Amino acid sequence: MEKGTLVEFRHNNERLLAVVQGTEGKKNLLLEVPSGQVYSVHPRQITFALNGNSNFTVSDIPSFWQAVQAKLDPESLALAWELVQEERRPLSLSEMAQLLFSDDSPVSTYAAYRLLSEDYIYFKEKGEGYEPRPPAQVKEILHQIAVAQQRQQEQAEFEARLKAAVAQPGQRYTWTPAERARLELLERLALQGAPDSLRNYEDLSYNLTPSDRERASHLLRLLGFPDTPQGAFEALVALGLWSRHENLALRLTGIPTQFPKEVERYTQTLLGGPPPFLESHRRRDLTHLHTYTIDDASTRDIDDALSVEFWSEDEAKLWIHIADPSCWVQWGDPLDLEARRRGTSVYLPERVIPMFPPELSTGPMSLVQGEVRPALSFGIRLGGDGAVRDYEICLSQIQVNYRLTYDDADEMLELGAEPQLTAIARAAHWRYTWRLGQGAIPIGLPEQDIKVIDEIPHLRVIEDTPARQMVAEMMVLAGEVAARFARQHGIPVPYRLQPAPELPPPEVLELYPQGPVRSFAIMRCLSRAEVATQPERHAGLGLDAYCQVTSPIRRYLDLVAHYQIKAFLRGDPLPLTEAEVQQVVLGIEPGTAEAAQVERKSKRYWSIEYLRQRPGQTWRALVLGYLREEENLVMAMLDEIAFRVPVRLERQVPLGAWIELEVLQADPRADVIELRELRDFAP
């Protein structure tokens, strides 16, 4: 290449114009740039040479480049392509310069080269020339460019909205589905920071690919948060998408928190008329009975009620009425399939996730005071010895007279204000005594009730009052009668059973203080309850057969039992064979176990938060048992809130001892609670 030739070469990915000054060695050329620097360049690095013009000097380059820049209009390529799009041959660089600028001067030739070298829409390089792309290809490329530009614009608008949302925390933003998909990257990153006690390491749904991780990092950098799971959590709180007490235990599960649109539409269609499967002509009218519902004040899905038809000193005819949601839902319809997918309602301190849409579960499915409602009613003649003398099960219509809370019922029982309620409570005591005689294993550990209002936990201890004992005993009685009925008539239902535990000998149990300490020792020996399609003994309840039927609005397997029993009562074919019931059980159990875990972990979170909010408070605690005696690790129960927590003591104390504790650390987000004993044990 001659001295004085103008060339373009690449250096560190930069395009430089230079003039050839000579050679170095066998192949390299010496190229000088306007700064005066000389580069030794292999010919392969040269991307353009203005051949035939060897009279350039370095001082010519600035003005040359200025003249070239004046011609670098990408739209000129579109006009040129319009003129030659039908051409089926490559055009030389000189021809392209003529086409673009009407001359092939050095400035025009290099300008044409610069435009074509950066063009990927209209022309493609072919050999030593440039061939126009087919119209269909150009159209597709332009479409792709438009889509990319639209995405860039949407991304810019999204990022602007993100910044505004963080800057204005009180303002509520509605995010599009595409934006929600981007924000889910932050959610998945935040979930990676959940404590080990909440995580299921078999679930990889919250893991991020490298590209997704980089996108999440970009969002965090944009918003000024640390590029960590905790930073992602803080960003989601700042955006108003998560609460600072976001339930990560729930987020880490597959539990659905919203109902699909098709289920909501189906529900609204049903609510437009009477229950589609009421069958009033087959229902027994029990509206004349004096009927009570007894629940916590916060309960909205009321699914059981109690009546007594007659009573004496040694017998009572009891009625246990169970809500009949299957008047609104049938096997295989959209509501049934959604309830089957959920398996159970989930009761969390901060919210309830119902099995059925609340418009149904707290409305027409529920046994609302003063409203005539369909029910599945169990009429049971109970002897004074607690044994069932006779029973009947029927489809019914009832009307609740009194909607009572447990406190209301306890007060009425104490005052003797409602003779019928007193008769039911007495029958419940007969029944409880009978079950103890059958080997039932009583557990008397206090339980917590936790409600969260405006992110403030409210805790109380649930006492085992006469009203609670009465309702619990009636529900167990209905479950035993349902199991008897199903077994007698060969109706496949989900039975609950519990293998007999290996309890310590009576003389050893007597060494444990009576009450919570002994109950804790027994509880640690109990086997988990199981579900099967054949009746077996439930050791904890002291029953030879038991089937849960009293919460069909809240538990899907209760609803399955209703389907089966109702079909038999009507004389219809049973919806499910035994094998199909077993299949349902197997499909439901993982989800219900997951729901129970979320409920337990959520209660623990808010219990720890309750303690965190009370720094410096002293907590009176009962030592329930030793977890590792050699380490003085005990399970203690905080008396005021019935919260059971492991504590490592500096000394051994007897079971049943009362100790005083202080909180050293309480971090609900990290699932950490550490306590220590304040003073020596005083017998």
Side-chain angles (χ1 to χ4, degrees):
M1 194 172 295
E2 295 183 13
K3 182 179 178 180
T5 301
L6 181 71
V7 298
E8 178 195 271
F9 72 103
R10 289 188 181 273
H11 179 71
N12 293 334
N13 291 323
E14 185 180 1
R15 301 171 75 161
L16 300 177
L17 284 174
V19 175
V20 177
Q21 300 296 343
T23 60
E24 182 179 62
K26 292 184 178 181
K27 293 185 178 180
N28 280 16
L29 298 172
L30 294 175
L31 307 180
E32 185 179 2
V33 297
S35 66
Q37 186 173 354
V38 177
Y39 293 86
S40 177
V41 175
H42 193 280
R44 281 198 301 268
Q45 292 177 257
I46 293 175
T47 51
F48 173 84
L50 199 59
N51 293 317
N53 293 272
S54 57
N55 55 352
F56 275 87
T57 65
V58 172
S59 61
D60 295 328
I61 292 178
S63 59
F64 178 85
W65 174 238
Q66 187 175 4
V68 168
Q69 281 183 303
K71 294 177 177 285
L72 295 182
D73 180 7
E75 291 187 7
S76 62
L77 283 174
L79 296 174
W81 177 81
E82 288 285 351
L83 295 173
V84 296
Q85 61 176 295
E86 301 301 329
E87 291 278 355
R88 290 293 179 265
R89 66 177 182 85
L91 302 174
S92 68
L93 186 57
S94 177
E95 289 177 302
M96 288 300 305
Q98 289 282 357
L99 182 64
L100 288 164
F101 309 118
S102 301
D103 70 79
D104 60 354
S105 65
V107 168
S108 295
T109 301
Y110 181 62
Y113 166 75
R114 286 295 292 247
L115 285 171
L116 290 163
S117 66
E118 296 174 358
D119 171 53
Y120 60 92
I121 301 174
Y122 300 104
F123 293 89
K124 60 181 178 180
E125 193 171 358
K126 190 168 185 181
E128 296 183 356
Y130 297 90
E131 183 178 82
R133 295 181 185 272
Q137 191 176 33
V138 170
K139 183 179 180 181
E140 176 59 26
I141 293 172
L142 289 173
H143 171 71
Q144 292 175 1
I145 291 173
V147 169
Q149 289 173 341
Q150 178 66 24
R151 287 176 179 168
Q152 288 175 354
Q153 182 179 350
E154 289 174 355
Q155 179 69 17
E157 292 173 354
F158 169 61
E159 292 180 358
R161 279 160 48 78
L162 280 180
K163 291 179 179 179
V166 171
Q168 302 170 344
Q171 187 169 340
R172 185 175 181 83
Y173 282 80
T174 301
W175 306 97
T176 67
E179 290 172 336
R180 284 293 301 149
R182 295 187 184 104
L183 291 168
E184 282 176 7
L185 299 178
L186 293 182
E187 294 178 357
R188 287 158 60 190
L189 177 57
L191 290 175
Q192 292 181 6
D196 290 347
S197 57
L198 301 184
R199 297 176 64 180
N200 175 7
Y201 283 92
E202 295 179 1
D203 181 10
L204 302 179
S205 61
Y206 48 80
N207 283 352
L208 294 169
T209 64
S211 60
D212 284 346
R213 182 66 177 84
E214 177 52 38
R215 282 193 283 269
S217 299
H218 170 73
L219 293 179
L220 291 173
R221 290 193 297 269
L222 177 76
L223 297 174
F225 288 93
D227 186 11
T228 62
Q230 181 60 29
F233 185 96
E234 293 169 2
L236 290 165
V237 173
L239 290 167
L241 293 169
W242 280 13
S243 156
R244 64 191 180 96
H245 292 293
E246 191 69 22
N247 193 325
L248 297 189
L250 176 63
R251 288 269 179 187
L252 286 165
T253 71
I255 296 173
T257 58
Q258 302 292 329
F259 285 92
K261 295 295 183 184
E262 58 270 21
V263 172
E264 291 181 350
R265 287 192 294 268
Y266 185 76
T267 298
Q268 293 306 314
T269 300
L270 289 179
L271 289 171
F277 313 109
L278 181 59
E279 299 175 304
S280 297
H281 64 285
R282 295 187 176 184
R283 291 189 175 271
R284 186 167 168 182
D285 187 355
L286 298 178
T287 56
H288 64 282
L289 293 174
H290 200 73
T291 302
Y292 307 87
T293 61
I294 306 171
D295 288 280
D296 285 309
S298 59
T299 301
R300 294 292 175 264
D301 45 356
I302 302 170
D303 51 15
D304 57 80
L306 302 174
S307 308
V308 59
E309 189 170 356
F310 61 80
W311 67 94
S312 66
E313 291 301 318
D314 63 353
E315 188 176 76
K317 173 67 178 289
L318 303 165
W319 283 97
I320 304 168
H321 312 286
I322 309 302
D324 187 4
S326 61
C327 283
W328 295 91
V329 55
Q330 292 284 282
W331 174 260
D333 73 10
L335 278 173
D336 172 78
L337 294 175
E338 181 64 17
R340 198 184 314 172
R341 181 168 76 102
R342 292 167 179 258
T344 181
S345 295
V346 185
Y347 291 86
L348 305 175
E350 66 273 31
R351 65 186 297 192
V352 175
I353 304 172
M355 188 173 76
F356 287 114
E359 300 94 325
L360 285 170
S361 62
T362 63
M365 286 183 176
S366 191
L367 301 181
V368 178
Q369 179 181 345
E371 300 286 339
V372 176
R373 287 289 192 259
L376 184 64
S377 294
F378 296 77
I380 303 164
R381 284 181 56 225
L382 196 69
D385 59 356
V388 175
R389 293 181 178 175
D390 194 13
Y391 68 85
E392 58 181 313
I393 304 177
C394 64
L395 303 177
S396 66
Q397 292 189 136
I398 68 166
Q399 186 171 22
V400 174
N401 303 92
Y402 284 118
R403 194 273 200 239
L404 304 177
T405 67
Y406 285 109
D407 290 340
D408 295 335
D410 280 318
E411 185 176 356
M412 289 181 174
L413 290 173
E414 184 177 357
L415 297 174
E418 286 282 321
Q420 296 192 33
L421 200 63
T422 301
I424 297 171
R426 182 172 58 180
H429 180 69
W430 293 345
R431 184 65 181 168
Y432 178 70
T433 304
W434 179 85
R435 286 198 304 108
L436 288 180
Q438 302 299 309
I441 304 170
I443 300 292
L445 279 173
E447 295 294 333
Q448 290 179 308
D449 178 57
I450 308 178
K451 294 291 186 292
V452 176
I453 303 171
D454 295 330
E455 298 190 343
I456 303 297
H458 301 266
L459 273 69
R460 68 184 178 96
V461 179
I462 300 176
E463 302 289 348
D464 195 15
T465 66
R468 290 185 183 276
Q469 293 168 0
M470 174 180 67
V471 172
E473 205 57 51
M474 291 298 100
M475 298 306 103
V476 172
L477 176 58
E480 187 205 0
V481 168
R484 282 194 190 190
F485 185 78
R487 180 169 59 180
Q488 177 184 350
H489 297 288
I491 305 170
V493 295
Y495 294 96
R496 287 191 71 83
L497 54 100
Q498 186 179 42
E502 294 185 11
L503 295 176
E507 61 272 16
V508 175
L509 272 180
E510 288 294 328
L511 299 176
Y512 291 91
Q514 199 164 14
V517 174
R518 187 177 298 178
S519 291
F520 181 72
I522 293 172
M523 187 183 70
R524 296 177 71 183
C525 299
L526 294 180
S527 304
R528 289 182 58 187
E530 303 171 13
V531 182
T533 55
Q534 288 295 322
E536 293 185 40
R537 183 167 175 77
H538 194 297
L541 298 177
L543 300 176
D544 291 331
Y546 177 64
C547 170
Q548 285 185 321
V549 292
T550 58
S551 292
I553 300 176
R554 310 177 192 181
R555 295 189 299 243
Y556 187 76
L557 291 184
D558 292 41
L559 182 65
V560 169
H562 276 234
Y563 285 150
Q564 298 288 85
I565 291 172
K566 281 184 62 178
F568 182 86
L569 292 174
R570 292 192 304 259
D572 294 341
L574 301 182
L576 301 170
T577 64
E578 182 177 342
E580 289 168 335
V581 171
Q582 178 66 24
Q583 187 176 6
V584 170
V585 169
L586 292 175
I588 289 289
E589 282 189 324
T592 54
E594 190 173 53
Q597 279 194 351
V598 170
E599 290 176 346
R600 177 180 58 79
K601 291 171 181 177
S602 301
K603 279 188 172 184
R604 176 177 168 84
Y605 176 95
W606 286 107
S607 296
I608 297 174
E609 174 63 12
Y610 186 88
L611 297 178
R612 188 195 67 80
Q613 293 180 4
R614 288 157 178 78
Q617 182 168 334
T618 299
W619 300 90
R620 186 169 179 261
L622 177 67
V623 177
L624 295 175
Y626 275 90
L627 301 177
R628 288 197 291 272
E629 192 166 358
E630 69 280 4
E631 299 178 22
N632 289 337
L633 183 65
V634 302
M635 179 66 77
M637 181 176 67
L638 306 189
D639 182 44
E640 184 179 323
I641 58 174
F643 182 39
R644 297 195 289 269
V645 60
V647 181
R648 183 170 280 103
L649 304 177
E650 295 182 359
R651 61 192 177 86
Q652 283 202 334
V653 298
L655 299 183
W658 289 96
I659 58 177
E660 289 189 333
L661 300 173
E662 69 170 344
V663 177
L664 296 178
Q665 185 181 7
D667 184 346
R669 181 61 60 210
D671 192 30
V672 171
I673 175 71
E674 184 181 355
L675 303 99
R676 76 174 177 190
E677 188 180 6
L678 269 180
R679 58 183 174 82
D680 292 339
F681 167 70

